[in-house]
Structures are given as C-alpha cells and as structure tokens.
C-alpha cells in the first residue's frame, strides 16, 4: 500500500534522545521504548488532532472504563531497515483492518486510515534511528486504544485514546518450547471475543499459562472450547502442524485470530510448492501421527517470533517428543519470510511498504 503523510498533526519533539543509553545488542523483548509516542483522542463523537510528543506517562481518571471493564485493543507489527537505510513496514493495511474489526467487536470507534497508517509513518520516521540495520533487528510497533471516559457505569465509554508506541527489539528466540494441549481451559469461544486483539484475551490466558509453566511447559495449545478435540492456536500465536510433507493450520473463525504471519506463511508455502491444507487438525490425529512417526513439526506463527518451533507436546500426561530434523519447513519458511521483510529477497507479493 502507499503510505500517505499525515498533515494534520502536532509534533513536539523530545528535548533529549535516550538512544545512547540503550544497549541494542541485549534487548529484552518489549521493555525499551523510543523517544516519542503518538496520542489521538476521541471525544464528542469524533477523532481529535493527533499529537506526537516525548514518550512519558500520562494521567487518566481512576474511574476510566479501561480499568473496570477492559475496553482495550491493540496491534503488533514491525518495521525493518534495509541495507540502504530505508525503513519498511510489512502489510500494515492488514493491521489496520484487523484493528478496526477489534474496535467494532469491543464497541469502540474505528480509527481512520490516515490517523493509523499516516500516524505510524510519521512517528516511525521521527524515530527511524531506533530501527537498526541487520537481520534480526526490528522496531516493534504497538498501536492500541483504551476507553478513557470516566464513570463506573457498565456501558461503553464515550471517550477513547488511540496511541502508538515503539520498542526496538532483537529477533525473538524463546528457547526450546514444549507445549501442553488444553483439556479444560479455553482461550476463546464461539460468540466471544477470540477473533479480536482485545486485552482481555491475554489476561484470561495468564492463569492457565502459569499452571502450564509450573508443569514445565512454556505454552498451551488451545483446543475448541466445546469439545477440546480440535487444535486451534499455540499461546498467542497461530499454529501449524507438519504431518509427512504437508503443513496444516486451522481455518480462522470466531475462536481463531486471523494472523498476518499465518496467512503470509500459507501464501509463501503455496508459492514454494509446499503442500498446505487449511483445515482443523484433531488432537487424536496429532497423537496418532506422533506415535507412527509421521508428525514432523509443530510451529507457532506470529509477528513477534515470526515462526516458533515447538519441540514436543503433552496430552493426557503423556509427553511426545518431535524428531530433530535436518530440513525443517518451519525454518525454511521463516528464512524466506524474513528475507522479504528485510528486502533481501524480492517481494513478489507486494507485502512491504516504505516509510
Ligand atoms: C496477534 C495474535 C496472533 C498472530 O497474529 P500476527 O498478525 O501474525 O502477529 C495469533 N493469535 C493471537 C491470539 C493473537 O493475538
């Protein structure tokens, strides 16, 4: 997509840059933020003029609806710097569409394209020194919206704040990931908010995830809430299974978030002649494939890690270890997708847009 400049905006630059205090070689994911933030408030039924200013805390009323009823949504995306010092976004239009779907589901106002995409372009451009060159260096972009209207009456707010904050990040490596298949807890249910990037989906996951971690598993593979027989997502990522030489991933639904990484991997796999099937995989099928040796790989797909290989899974107290492969489809797809993002390979899909 072509990215327009945002003309109607107030910019107050930070008086000092923090960039020299940052150790870019040793960044923990999501802890360091750049010099600026974008704020755009919604009140009296319309979006106000956005402002970019120094990153800093702000005041909101203790009765603001976000604190009591969790009206909050977000997005996660990344910017990449190529060898010519140009900065690129990956499929930002997809994040805009999804953000506004989340907004509708949470009874929040939609954010117009010029504020979301134009605002992104403007703030990333201002903080472009924070995007470092070289494979593995990225700027993680976190657009979000919260209900800031005051009053504890349980109804949607009339005032909102849309913001964009930016966090330099190294490519995310989570170590060896073992997962446990959910037999009781659910991430999402039909008719619920599982397809929205709503803050509450995450807080609802923390407790089951903590229990899993106490048992030695880093993530949970979520199953459908009604029967717990279909495999749906891995933690906060979409999930793929490779049985023989075909990769499988569930169709998106009210329970499965429509991940940009997921759909990009599907398109890439098709282009590369890798067999890919979009259909639900049953827990029983997975266990059978693990037992007869046809299960080759399981991997999560999401913006933060791109592809997150899983080394084994537990189901009904039995642990199934995956084989160690020479030629992993997961790592091959990750490499190909990453090269498109960093402009090291031709972007035949038109996924990248220059800031
Ligand atoms: C954000 C998210 C994903 C991954 O989406 P990407 O667009 O690929 O980053 C998958 N599942 C859930 C539940 C998510 O919140």
């Amino acid at each position: 997509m072509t990215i327009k400049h945002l003309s109607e905006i107030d910019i107050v630059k930070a008086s000092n840059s923090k960039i020299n205090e940052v150790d870019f070689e040793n960044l923990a994911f999501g802890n360091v933020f750049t010099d600026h933030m974008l704020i755009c408030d919604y009140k009296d039924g319309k979006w106000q003029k956005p402002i970019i200013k120094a990153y800093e805390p702000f005041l909101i009323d203790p009765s603001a609806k976000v604190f009591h009823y969790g009206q909050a949504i977000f997005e996660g995306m990344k910017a990449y710097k190529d060898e010519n010092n140009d900065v690129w976004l990956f499929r930002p239009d997809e994040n805009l569409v999804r953000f506004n779907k989340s907004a509708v589901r949470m009874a929040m106002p939609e954010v117009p394209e010029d504020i979301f995409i134009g605002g992104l372009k403007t703030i990333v451009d201002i903080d472009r020194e924070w995007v470092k060159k070289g494979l593995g260096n990225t700027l993680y972009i976190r657009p979000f919206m919260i209900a800031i209207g005051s009053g504890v009456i349980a109804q949607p707010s009339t005032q909102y704040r849309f913001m964009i904050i930016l966090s330099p990040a190294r490519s995310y490596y989570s170590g060896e990931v073992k997962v446990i298949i959910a037999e009781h807890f659910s991430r999402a249910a039909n008719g619920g908010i599982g397809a929205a990037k709503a803050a509450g989906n995450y807080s609802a996951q923390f407790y089951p995830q903590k229990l899993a971690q106490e048992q030695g598993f880093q993530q949970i593979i979520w199953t459908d809430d009604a029967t717990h027989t279909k495999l749906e997502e891995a933690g906060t990522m979409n999930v793929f299974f490779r049985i023989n030489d075909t990769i499988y991933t569930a169709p998106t639904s009210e329970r499965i978030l429509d991940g940009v990484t997921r759909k990009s991997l599907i398109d890439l796999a098709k282009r590369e002649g890798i067999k890919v099937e979009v259909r639900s995989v049953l827990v029983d099928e997975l266990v059978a494939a693990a037992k007869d040796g046809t299960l080759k790989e399981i991997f999560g797909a999401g913006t933060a890690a791109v592809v997150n290989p899983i080394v084994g899974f537990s189901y009904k107290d039995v642990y199934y270890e995956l084989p160690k492969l020479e030629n992993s489809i997961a790592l091959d797809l990750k490499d190909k997708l990453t090269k498109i993002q960093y402009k090291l390979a031709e972007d035949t899909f038109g996924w990248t847009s220059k800031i």
Side-chain angles (χ1 to χ4, degrees):
M1 80 186 298
T2 46
I3 303 181
K4 284 179 289 190
H5 276 279
L6 189 55
S7 48
E8 279 294 291
I9 186 166
D10 285 329
I11 299 174
V12 186
K13 291 258 181 84
S15 44
N16 294 304
S17 176
K18 301 171 290 194
I19 197 163
N20 292 327
E21 295 158 28
V22 175
D23 178 2
F24 281 89
E25 299 299 309
N26 298 294
L27 289 167
F29 181 80
N31 278 344
V32 170
F33 294 92
T34 64
D35 291 323
H36 297 92
M37 62 185 188
L38 178 141
I39 301 187
C40 186
D41 282 352
Y42 179 91
K43 63 175 184 201
D44 304 327
K46 54 180 191 294
W47 288 100
Q48 311 293 306
K49 197 182 199 185
I51 168 166
I52 291 175
K53 56 187 273 197
Y55 184 97
E56 63 182 8
F58 55 86
L59 293 172
I60 30 179
D61 195 279
S63 72
K65 299 235 179 338
V66 63
F67 297 136
H68 305 272
Y69 307 118
Q71 245 191 321
I73 59 169
F74 66 93
E75 270 303 320
M77 49 208 294
K78 282 177 173 174
Y80 311 83
K81 192 170 264 180
D82 70 11
E83 285 307 304
N84 306 318
N85 283 315
D86 285 326
V87 176
W88 298 83
L89 297 176
F90 184 72
R91 308 187 77 176
D93 44 329
E94 295 284 343
N95 297 92
L96 167 67
V97 168
R98 189 169 68 191
F99 191 76
N100 282 334
K101 273 192 196 154
S102 301
V104 168
R105 180 61 185 84
M106 302 303 285
M108 300 170 99
E110 293 178 59
V111 175
E113 176 176 333
D114 62 333
I115 294 176
F116 189 100
I117 301 285
L120 249 174
K121 179 193 162 81
T122 312
I123 188 168
V124 173
D125 203 15
I126 289 175
D127 279 339
R128 63 190 296 131
E129 285 310 306
W130 291 79
V131 200
K132 296 295 175 191
K133 262 203 306 214
L135 215 55
N137 294 316
T138 61
L139 185 70
Y140 183 77
I141 303 170
R142 171 52 64 90
F144 64 102
M145 177 169 31
I146 53 173
I148 58 170
S150 56
V152 294
I153 182 163
Q155 62 190 29
S157 178
T158 53
Q159 289 181 34
Y160 295 90
R161 178 160 292 180
F162 170 69
M163 298 190 63
I164 302 174
I165 55 175
L166 309 169
S167 175
R170 293 281 302 163
S171 70
Y172 187 82
Y173 176 68
S174 43
E176 293 214 325
V177 177
K178 293 180 188 165
V179 295
I180 185 163
I181 294 179
E183 291 170 50
H184 171 69
F185 291 105
S186 303
R187 192 195 77 85
N190 285 339
I193 59 170
K197 259 183 129 63
N201 285 333
Y202 284 67
S203 47
Q205 257 183 259
F206 290 159
Y207 176 66
Q209 189 176 347
K210 186 178 124 196
L211 296 182
Q213 281 167 351
E214 283 165 8
Q215 297 178 65
F217 300 98
Q218 287 73 33
Q219 281 301 348
I220 299 173
I221 293 207
W222 300 105
T223 48
D224 65 294
D225 62 298
T227 66
H228 295 289
T229 56
K230 293 179 203 154
L231 300 159
E232 307 220 306
E233 293 212 57
T236 57
M237 290 180 289
N238 294 113
V239 66
F240 287 78
F241 304 94
R242 172 181 169 196
I243 299 175
N244 289 316
D245 285 329
T246 303
I247 58 172
Y248 298 87
T249 191
T252 56
S253 69
E254 278 190 293
R255 300 183 309 269
I256 300 181
L257 193 119
D258 187 5
V260 180
T261 316
R262 173 189 172 279
K263 67 175 121 194
S264 305
L265 291 177
I266 293 172
D267 289 348
L268 252 185
K270 285 183 181 158
R271 189 190 75 183
E272 295 301 308
I274 295 165
K275 278 175 260 157
V276 35
E277 278 187 37
V278 177
R279 68 150 172 94
S280 290
V281 175
L282 301 175
V283 181
D284 286 349
E285 235 183 304
L286 190 76
V287 170
K291 283 184 179 157
D292 69 19
T294 53
L295 178 65
K296 305 291 184 203
E297 295 182 77
I298 306 178
F299 55 99
T303 295
V306 187
V307 162
N308 206 345
I310 288 163
V311 300
F313 71 92
S314 167
Y315 182 61
K316 292 202 192 295
D317 298 322
V318 182
Y319 181 68
Y320 301 86
E321 193 155 282
L322 295 186
K324 295 199 172 36
L325 298 182
E326 289 288 299
N327 35 23
S328 149
I329 290 181
L331 295 182
D332 181 41
L333 289 175
K334 177 178 183 171
D335 180 63
K336 294 206 161 70
L337 184 58
T338 311
K339 286 195 170 127
I340 293 175
Q341 292 168 330
Y342 285 88
K343 307 300 284 181
L344 294 170
E346 196 195 340
D347 174 14
T348 56
F349 298 99
W351 282 338
T352 50
S353 10
K354 196 161 150 178
I355 289 282

